[in-house]
Amino acid sequence: MTDVVGGQPGGEERRSGFCRFATALLPGWGRTGRHSLVMLLPFGLYLVLVAGLACTRRPWCDEAWFASSAVNLVRHGFMGNTCLVSQGIWQNLDHYTYWQPPVYFLMEALIFKLFGTGLFQVRLISIFWGLAGLVAVYWLARELFNGSRRLIFLSLLLVGTNFYYLRGAADGRMDLTAASLSLIGLAFYLVLREKNFGRAVFWGNLFVCLSGLTHPNGVLGLFVLFFLIVRLDHRKISPGIVLAALVPYLLGAAGWGAYILQDVAAFKSQFFGSAFRPETATCVNGLKWAAVYAEMAHRYFGLVIRGGGTVGMLAYAAVPFWVFLFAGLAGGFFLKDKRLWYMLVLYFLGLMFFIANKTSCYLVWIVPLFLLNLAGVVHAVRWKGFFKLILVLILSYIILFSVGGTVYAMAQNTYCNEYLSDLEHFAGQHYKGGKIYGRGELAFFFNFDDGIVQDDPRLGFYTGVKPRYFVVDDDYRRWFARFKKEEPAVWEHIERNLSRDYIEVFAGTYYTFYERTP
């Protein structure tokens, strides 16, 4: 018998493999061809936008620092960071990487083994887990909004096109990977808890555990998951359930613990040195007003305060975006089903009071929940007449702000116009061999050859090394300003060496290159 789909004989057979896979991830997505395409639209937009952003953003030091450990694991069999000069700061970093948990470095090593070393390979991990995070958003929306296709689509569209989410997905850091793993764990728990509570607890904790083994902020997902279990299902908790919850953490602790035991002193120096940094304007934790101010001023409105960064004047358009999301946070309190609101508030308070670093990189942990909550509030309010137009304008603004900011950032093409153009000119016209001290991202251009590039803004103050070239960018200039106040001996060393032993050979669009005089 011939199957006919959309008027084409044999269409069902041709689509069956893809349909089965998509239906397994997104049940109910393919009832009709039109609905199939509509529900997949946010995923397509996400992939197009994030691929464009990943190919056009200038790399930065964190991407190279993390990649260095994975490169050494693949090439030399040890997971040390030899890109970052750590003498005088952290112990034995060039042999062991303890300042972050190990899962992300293992993911990078696998990618490098399969596809070679490179910037896009690094970012491919975040792109993949951003896509997995969108699937988790689908499941959460399906569970929390009673299967409403409109709300599911709106949630996917808001998250999949969001500038902060896309920026995290185009970045070779582990933030979006860890955040997505936590989101997947929460989705597993909420979706399965009524069907099989034991499996819900196990799978939820497994993914939350993997999140914590990817980045310490995974503790946020742990707190939220435990709160939901106690709040929603405390009567179902039994010794067997407790064991199911503990198994992932026991296995994770055993694996990471075996690596830690190779150099416990280095672990203490690196991990706790990274986690408990001296308090600054952008690094504050604890239950105090300074943490509240730093959270709002630097995490949520930091782009505005810094004048926009990559997205320039469009950063100021973030103000009404956050106003709408915070209004949704307040409105969520009045929703009958408060599961989503509980998750959002716990993440919000956790980031504010317990995560000291107020970087906007961590927004990927909370933005999906903000947007899901906004979708729920929008649905709950009875919008009539003129207010329906207001609603359409608000949602359109949120999407256009994000897509516009992303497209603008892509158009700047800082990878080609700043990073590649400066380094190609330097390598072709001025580089004569020898050691370069500069920001870590230079290692991507020189294929992570530690004989060439290392990152040391102190210009050999602790190592005694005088590199042949010293490359200065805006990050190094910020370090110099900090050294003037906090480490005057280091600043005197840099100033003396630059004025006496180095000459400027090339001032590029973004980098300034100095060469040591004979």
Side-chain angles (χ1 to χ4, degrees), residues 164-185:
Y164 299 99
Y165 193 82
L166 291 166
R167 188 179 62 171
D171 192 11
R173 277 181 55 99
M174 66 280 289
D175 302 295
L176 187 60
T177 300
S180 292
L181 285 166
S182 276
L183 208 61
I184 292 168

Side-chain angles (χ1 to χ4, degrees), residues 380-395:
V381 175
R382 296 181 179 276
W383 304 86
K384 297 181 179 180
F386 174 74
F387 292 102
K388 282 188 177 181
L389 176 61
I390 298 297
L391 170 63
V392 171
L393 291 176
I394 289 174
L395 294 177

Side-chain angles (χ1 to χ4, degrees), residues 216-276:
N217 285 359
V219 72
L220 294 172
L222 176 65
F223 288 153
V224 172
L225 180 61
F226 277 17
F227 173 85
L228 290 175
I229 291 173
V230 172
R231 180 74 176 80
L232 302 176
D233 296 304
H234 60 276
R235 291 185 178 87
K236 299 179 183 178
I237 297 175
S238 65
I241 293 300
V242 173
L243 179 61
L246 289 178
V247 165
Y249 303 103
L250 294 174
L251 293 175
W256 193 19
Y259 181 61
I260 290 171
L261 287 175
Q262 296 183 33
D263 195 333
V264 175
F267 170 76
K268 291 178 180 178
S269 170
Q270 294 179 34
F271 187 79
F272 294 108
S274 174
F276 301 102

Side-chain angles (χ1 to χ4, degrees), residues 94-400:
D94 55 346
H95 288 85
Y96 299 99
T97 297
Y98 290 128
W99 61 315
Q100 297 291 344
V103 166
Y104 183 75
F105 304 111
L106 298 177
M107 290 183 188
E108 283 194 313
L110 177 62
I111 289 293
F112 293 160
K113 191 74 173 176
L114 293 174
F115 303 112
T117 303
L119 177 61
F120 189 77
Q121 289 91 318
V122 168
R123 292 173 172 177
L124 190 62
I125 300 171
S126 297
I127 292 173
F128 170 80
W129 285 107
L131 190 63
L134 269 187
V135 175
V137 168
Y138 171 89
W139 281 96
L140 284 170
R142 188 169 181 262
E143 171 67 22
L144 296 167
F145 302 143
N146 297 317
S148 169
R149 295 177 65 84
R150 289 184 180 181
L151 284 181
I152 293 171
F153 176 78
L154 177 60
S155 301
L156 289 171
L157 187 63
L158 290 173
V159 177
T161 60
N162 180 258
F163 171 73
Y164 299 99
Y165 193 82
L166 291 166
R167 188 179 62 171
D171 192 11
R173 277 181 55 99
M174 66 280 289
D175 302 295
L176 187 60
T177 300
S180 292
L181 285 166
S182 276
L183 208 61
I184 292 168
L186 295 173
F188 261 109
Y189 169 70
L190 290 174
V191 170
L192 293 179
R193 55 182 285 268
E194 297 288 353
K195 302 171 185 176
N196 190 315
F197 185 61
R199 289 183 181 178
V201 169
F202 174 77
W203 288 107
N205 281 281
L206 175 63
F207 281 97
V208 166
C209 176
L210 288 172
S211 173
L213 289 172
T214 303
H215 193 280
N217 285 359
V219 72
L220 294 172
L222 176 65
F223 288 153
V224 172
L225 180 61
F226 277 17
F227 173 85
L228 290 175
I229 291 173
V230 172
R231 180 74 176 80
L232 302 176
D233 296 304
H234 60 276
R235 291 185 178 87
K236 299 179 183 178
I237 297 175
S238 65
I241 293 300
V242 173
L243 179 61
L246 289 178
V247 165
Y249 303 103
L250 294 174
L251 293 175
W256 193 19
Y259 181 61
I260 290 171
L261 287 175
Q262 296 183 33
D263 195 333
V264 175
F267 170 76
K268 291 178 180 178
S269 170
Q270 294 179 34
F271 187 79
F272 294 108
S274 174
F276 301 102
R277 303 175 187 177
E279 188 168 298
T280 64
T282 59
C283 187
V284 187
N285 64 4
L287 301 174
K288 47 192 174 185
W289 283 111
V292 177
Y293 172 80
E295 181 77 5
M296 302 305 296
H298 296 288
R299 191 171 337 269
Y300 294 102
F301 296 101
L303 282 176
V304 178
I305 290 175
R306 292 192 297 271
T310 304
V311 295
M313 293 299 294
L314 282 176
Y316 298 101
V319 175
F321 169 80
W322 286 112
V323 169
F324 297 145
L325 292 197
F326 284 120
L329 172 62
F333 175 76
F334 299 100
L335 295 179
K336 184 177 180 180
D337 184 350
K338 288 188 169 54
R339 290 176 295 174
L340 177 57
W341 189 77
Y342 289 146
M343 290 189 286
L344 174 57
V345 169
L346 288 172
Y347 267 104
F348 180 71
L349 295 177
L351 282 170
M352 179 177 290
F353 294 116
F354 299 107
I355 305 301
N357 191 352
K358 303 307 180 185
T359 174
S360 62
C361 291
Y362 295 166
L363 285 174
V364 293
W365 287 87
I366 196 169
V367 160
L369 294 176
F370 260 124
L371 294 168
L372 276 166
N373 180 74
L374 182 65
V377 171
V378 162
H379 177 70
V381 175
R382 296 181 179 276
W383 304 86
K384 297 181 179 180
F386 174 74
F387 292 102
K388 282 188 177 181
L389 176 61
I390 298 297
L391 170 63
V392 171
L393 291 176
I394 289 174
L395 294 177
S396 299
Y397 181 89
I398 289 172
I399 294 171
L400 290 175

